[in-house]
Amino acid sequence: MKIAIIGTGYVGLPTGVGLAELGNQVVCVDKIAAKIEALTQGKVTLYEEGLEELYLKHLKSGALRFTLDMREAVDGADVVMIAVGTPPHPVTKEADLQYIYAAAEELAAYLDGYTVVATKSTVPVGTGDEIEAIIKKVNPAADVDVISLPEFLREGFAVHDFFHPDRIVIGTDSQRAREVMRRLYAPFADKTEMLEVSRRSSETIKYASNAFLAMKIHYINEMADFCEKAGADINEVAKGMGTDSRIGRKFLNPGPGYGGSCFPKDTNAMAQMGRKFGAMLNLIETTIAKNDERKLEMAKRVAAAVKHNPEAKIAVWGLAFKGGTDDCRESPAMQILEKLLHYNRNVTVYDPQAMENARAVLGDRVSYAADPYEACAGADIAVILTEWENFKHLDLEKLKAKMLQMQIMDLRNLLNKEEVCRQGFCYSCIGMKN
Ligand code: UGA
């Protein structure tokens, strides 16, 4: 099939590459000339494990093309996917739909023959109706179905998730559109749940899923606070809860709060929708407020650990919003760091992937280290803020020799407490008596 993808970000590019691998002819269109130039020349514009290899394969084969020209992408396409950003409005926190509407208006003119226009971007309930109205206004003769096709890819695992989806949600009442989507996703038919629902249900599924996961994280963080007071161990509690298949093991890792470009944005947008429709979403409202508070609490906890010494050197490990990505957007690590800087603390940072993105925000307000050991040279405390796998396997002997005070605060519960204490470190983590 011929597929047009509008937007070449964290959703559009992996989706385009994945669809090319499934045997489709894919044209990706974007407004940013530098991105299209790089992608046309074989330079992948974002890091995702396994992406570059597949991208280069299909760029060479001609199955994957990039253009600035909407007509070239949309003309003759069977499916047009909208995958542009929906950033939060700075004041209302509602999803800003200007890029979605601009894309709908522009693509409408070039529709040719029956086309399915599928919204991959996360959009508030009812946006499909608006997109349809815009297309019909620009091109009343267009033979088109506008559907919701939410994306569930995780950053850092986008390629894996594309080929191993838990479900594919197709939001439309049109049988014709459903048949086109069944053909497109036929390679997944016997291994993945294919859900055909109404457009509004589909739009809601995306928000309801992200908000539920955010709530699950808030829940385990609240339990961690409880365990600290009650003398229980959150790692044991999470394991005990997670073995109940109705609860599940995933997303029960306590930490400094959730972040990233999706959960904070989508929980806020969902809460805003609840207010708009007059159906208050109290659990989500609380999750948002408590998650914000948590990051502040964690910064206070770090500062309190070195309160006797205003000059203390704090080594921070991890800046990205989670392990496996270079993305610092809405990163709890960055927010905690900002608070520490607000307290005039002396901080040296290290992250395996996110140093460049962090530097753009932090500038010369912190010192940068080439590895976790260098970050700890002369440090009074090392603080783990991001769940990078390699932080689990550090050489504690080497660390000992570097640090001024042997103190580790592990806000991701990554390290083995017994082992770290055996080496003589003063160790604290989340959700247990330290
Ligand atoms: C999230 C969803 O997991 C995807 O399904 C969805 O497609 C995506 O948003 C989106 O809407 O585009 P992502 O933002 O990449 O994916 O990140 P997650 O892996 O979900 O992690 C989000 C945050 O929660 C991170 O800060 C992470 O450290 C934190 N987290 C996650 C925890 O603190 N504890 C956990 O147990 C799990």
Side-chain angles (χ1 to χ4, degrees):
M1 292 170 91
K2 192 187 163 203
I3 316 291
I5 306 223
I6 306 175
T8 56
Y10 279 100
V11 171
L13 188 58
T15 304
V17 169
L19 288 170
E21 176 73 3
L22 294 183
N24 300 287
Q25 289 296 316
V26 179
V27 185
C28 299
V29 58
D30 203 292
K31 289 243 171 281
I32 304 173
K35 248 189 187 182
I36 292 299
E37 197 183 322
L39 287 165
T40 309
Q41 289 172 1
K43 291 182 201 126
V44 73
T45 45
L46 54 91
Y47 175 75
E48 278 291 340
E49 203 180 325
L51 183 69
E52 188 169 17
E53 195 188 337
L54 281 182
Y55 148 80
L56 287 172
K57 175 178 161 192
H58 294 294
L59 189 68
K60 263 196 205 116
S61 75
L64 185 63
R65 290 188 293 121
F66 297 90
T67 181
L68 284 166
D69 183 357
M70 184 68 87
R71 179 196 290 267
E72 189 187 332
V74 170
D75 197 11
D78 300 292
V79 179
V80 177
M81 295 189 182
I82 302 178
V84 298
T86 52
H89 185 279
V91 181
T92 65
K93 304 276 172 90
E94 276 176 296
D96 181 350
L97 298 174
Q98 59 167 314
Y99 305 109
I100 297 272
Y101 293 153
E105 201 170 326
E106 200 184 345
L107 73 88
Y110 307 121
L111 292 171
D112 170 29
Y114 177 65
T115 315
V116 175
V117 172
T119 311
K120 273 238 151 271
S121 311
T122 301
V123 293
V125 180
T127 304
D129 303 3
E130 299 285 331
I131 296 173
E132 192 172 294
I134 291 170
I135 293 176
K136 289 285 179 196
K137 190 166 166 210
V138 176
N139 185 351
D143 186 10
V144 65
D145 276 312
V146 174
I147 74 164
S148 160
L149 188 70
E151 186 50 74
F152 301 102
L153 303 177
R154 290 164 302 164
E155 262 186 60
F157 301 90
V159 175
H160 173 274
D161 288 355
F162 179 88
F163 292 105
H164 304 92
D166 283 339
R167 77 295 213 191
I168 291 165
V169 177
I170 297 166
T172 177
D173 291 330
S174 155
Q175 275 310 323
R176 211 166 157 208
R178 285 180 175 178
E179 270 154 34
V180 171
M181 299 321 284
R182 277 181 215 148
R183 254 198 299 139
L184 182 62
Y185 287 110
F188 298 119
D190 21 311
K191 39 184 184 187
T192 302
E193 182 103 22
M194 213 69 101
L195 290 173
E196 295 179 346
V197 299
S198 76
R199 193 162 64 196
R200 282 184 178 234
S201 296
S202 173
E203 288 167 342
T204 306
I205 286 170
K206 169 68 194 198
Y207 279 108
S209 301
N210 271 5
F212 185 85
L213 292 170
M215 248 165 42
K216 199 173 177 188
I217 297 167
H218 161 58
Y219 183 84
I220 204 66
N221 285 338
E222 198 164 75
M223 278 307 131
D225 289 346
F226 173 84
C227 287
E228 282 170 19
K229 296 264 173 2
D233 176 334
I234 192 65
N235 294 343
E236 292 173 355
V237 172
K239 204 169 172 186
M241 286 169 59
T243 42
D244 183 330
S245 60
R246 293 169 302 173
I247 296 175
R249 287 172 189 270
K250 292 180 184 164
F251 276 69
L252 285 181
N253 300 318
Y258 60 77
S261 65
C262 303
F263 285 178
K265 166 173 83 75
D266 294 350
T267 45
N268 273 303
M270 182 93 214
Q272 176 64 26
M273 274 189 279
R275 279 175 240 138
K276 181 178 143 196
F277 289 121
M280 282 303 285
L281 300 166
N282 297 314
L283 286 172
I284 298 174
E285 300 271 6
T286 304
T287 298
I288 295 166
K290 291 291 171 189
N291 192 63
D292 286 345
E293 265 174 37
R294 185 163 185 84
K295 290 172 275 187
L296 191 61
E297 285 307 315
M298 292 296 136
K300 284 187 186 155
R301 202 182 274 209
V302 177
V306 286
K307 66 171 185 291
H308 54 279
N309 178 8
E311 307 291 310
K313 183 180 160 189
I314 301 173
V316 160
W317 293 348
L319 299 164
F321 82 94
K322 64 173 184 178
T325 177
D326 61 356
D327 194 345
C328 290
R329 285 176 295 172
E330 297 282 330
S331 167
M334 295 291 280
Q335 290 164 352
I336 292 168
L337 204 54
E338 286 291 356
K339 208 70 214 165
L340 292 174
L341 293 174
H342 176 76
Y343 299 147
N344 285 321
R345 288 307 189 156
N346 170 9
V347 185
T348 301
V349 300
Y350 168 74
D351 186 286
Q353 292 284 345
M355 296 289 262
E356 211 175 298
N357 286 337
R359 198 187 287 265
V361 178
L362 298 167
D364 58 7
R365 293 181 294 147
V366 298
S367 307
Y368 299 89
D371 60 51
Y373 304 104
E374 189 184 308
C376 284
D380 295 83
I381 187 169
V383 184
I384 302 181
L385 293 180
T386 307
E387 68 274 45
W388 281 103
E389 267 302 301
N390 49 338
F391 292 161
K392 285 186 189 169
H393 311 294
L394 292 175
D395 180 343
L396 295 173
E397 286 290 345
K398 192 167 162 188
L399 204 61
K400 247 192 222 177
K402 294 267 180 192
M403 294 185 76
L404 198 61
Q405 306 288 334
M406 285 168 56
Q407 195 180 179
I408 298 179
M409 184 175 279
D410 180 0
L411 298 183
R412 292 283 189 171
N413 287 10
L414 280 186
L415 306 186
N416 180 316
K417 185 177 178 176
E418 281 70 40
E419 174 59 17
V420 181
C421 292
R422 201 172 29 246
Q423 294 278 353
F425 284 90
C426 168
Y427 176 78
S428 62
C429 60
I430 285 180
M432 59 191 85
K433 277 234 163 85
N434 288 300

